[in-house]
Amino acid sequence: MSAAALTAIIAELESTYDPAWAEPWDAVGLVCGDPAQSVRRILFAVDPVATVADEALAWGADLIVTHHPLYLRGTTTVAATTAKGALVHRLIRNDVALFTAHTNADVADPGVSDALARAVGLTGDLRPLRPSPDDPARGLGRVGVLEEPMTLRDFAAQAARGLPRTAWGLRVAGDPSRPVRRVAVSGGAGDSLLGAAIDADVFLTADLRHHPASEFTEAGAFSGGGPALIDAAHWATEWPWLPQAAALLASGLAAQGISVETRVSETVTDAWTTTAQCEEK
């Protein structure tokens, strides 16, 4: 294992996840860290939270690459009297840099939804649900076909096996016995892509709200078409990107003669930690 300047790591990351692809409201790139510092160990995680910092420090990481930004909506303070400020202070004190690839990783080719599609069993060609105007190979979401059709019940079980375990698992809307072949997916909150997924047999995403999901399924039932819906935990739909991103970075650096050690965090940082069923009355 050799060391590389953080600036070289950033250059490789940004060649894969161009900051120009990020949404205008997004906050991507280097959050803290000296571009000249040496990097030997890189931890990949979905969320920049305290438990991930614990893991990074215990392992001796020099850099944390996360999907979610620490300061998405900006801030006027990094004082250690706030949770996020304390995290920044802790990382800086221990010479750990933090870098974010968010919506620029969502639309990359391959990106977050490619990894999700593979995790739930899609093995063939994939195309974006909403292609980027400047490059149809990139864009939000992915759609593909299963090698063999299966029931919605069986596909949901297959998807659950392919995704990391969370407290709430998967929520399914649709006839469990309906056949599924064409599958659409979107990592993270995907209800903005419901219309784009209309020709799929099932759409798997996260953070589906009651009214959009209800109205969409009602419209599909009325017209005799439209996909079934599977709602997974936000964190779980984006976690499969981590091994993909780590492998792409390691490969790109190796081509430059740089060998770093990467690790994918398996710390569950989903916000929901348990469930409880209402008692029958």
Side-chain angles (χ1 to χ4, degrees), residues 217-274:
T217 53
E218 283 293 301
F222 179 78
S223 64
L229 300 177
I230 298 181
D231 185 40
H234 190 120
W235 172 84
T237 64
E238 294 177 330
W239 186 90
W241 170 74
L242 303 180
Q244 177 196 87
L248 288 173
L249 176 63
S251 176
L253 292 174
Q256 304 173 49
I258 300 171
S259 175
V260 296
E261 189 174 355
T262 62
R263 177 172 174 172
V264 171
S265 173
E266 295 187 0
T267 301
V268 178
T269 55
D270 188 56
W272 308 105
T273 56
T274 190

Side-chain angles (χ1 to χ4, degrees), residues 137-240:
R138 295 190 297 100
L140 291 172
R142 292 296 184 269
V143 61
V145 296
L146 297 167
E147 288 187 1
E148 298 292 337
M150 62 180 65
T151 65
L152 176 61
R153 178 187 295 106
D154 289 342
F155 175 73
Q158 174 176 288
R161 290 192 297 270
L163 295 176
R165 185 179 180 87
T166 56
W168 69 352
L170 303 181
R171 302 188 296 179
V172 183
D175 180 355
S177 63
R178 73 173 286 178
V180 167
R181 182 75 187 274
R182 187 176 179 82
V183 177
V185 303
S186 179
D191 60 9
S192 67
L193 295 173
L194 283 168
I198 194 69
D199 293 328
D201 298 315
V202 61
F203 179 38
L204 186 153
T205 187
D207 296 347
L208 287 176
R209 295 169 294 159
H210 172 80
H211 291 295
S214 177
E215 292 172 7
F216 187 77
T217 53
E218 283 293 301
F222 179 78
S223 64
L229 300 177
I230 298 181
D231 185 40
H234 190 120
W235 172 84
T237 64
E238 294 177 330
W239 186 90

Side-chain angles (χ1 to χ4, degrees), residues 114-131:
D114 294 280
L116 173 59
R118 300 309 183 203
V120 301
L122 291 170
T123 58
D125 293 337
L126 301 170
R127 66 170 180 81
L129 273 175
R130 182 180 293 164

